[in-house]
Amino acid sequence: MSLDQKFEAAAQAVKGLTKRPTDEELLTLYALYKQAIEGDNNTPKPGLLDLKGRAKWNSWDAKRGTSKDAAKEEYITFAEGLMAKYK
């Protein structure tokens, strides 16, 4: 199975979790997914009143400089940990 196939399988498996991960875990998943798919964050920072948008932006921006393949590998490992914890 290729890295891309493992990544897609992990992304699908996370959607089937029976319990909801913590907000921090969800932000990490989001950041790794965005970094793996789009690369470095180059979007404008959301305004001060958009708390959810800022949290997501900051989380993704913290992964700046991580290659897409490294982000995919990290996502797979993190998702496997969540599946073991929340299934």
Side-chain angles (χ1 to χ4, degrees):
M1 190 182 274
S2 74
L3 179 61
D4 288 337
Q5 290 170 326
K6 289 179 184 175
F7 175 73
E8 289 301 322
Q12 287 301 317
V14 166
K15 292 178 183 178
L17 293 174
T18 56
K19 294 181 183 171
R20 185 181 188 276
T22 66
D23 289 343
E24 201 58 42
E25 290 168 333
L26 289 172
L27 282 173
T28 301
L29 270 179
Y30 172 81
L32 289 170
Y33 187 85
K34 291 292 275 187
Q35 189 68 23
I37 297 298
E38 296 184 29
D40 288 343
N41 184 352
N42 60 1
T43 60
K45 192 170 191 173
L48 286 174
L49 299 179
D50 183 3
L51 299 177
K52 183 178 179 181
R54 280 181 81 86
K56 289 168 76 173
W57 190 94
N58 287 333
S59 184
W60 179 17
D61 199 55
K63 301 295 181 189
R64 182 178 298 277
T66 304
S67 73
K68 288 183 178 185
D69 285 346
K72 286 177 184 178
E73 289 173 4
E74 196 175 337
Y75 182 95
I76 292 164
T77 302
F78 191 73
E80 287 171 349
L82 289 181
M83 288 183 278
K85 185 176 179 181
Y86 293 108
K87 273 219 171 187

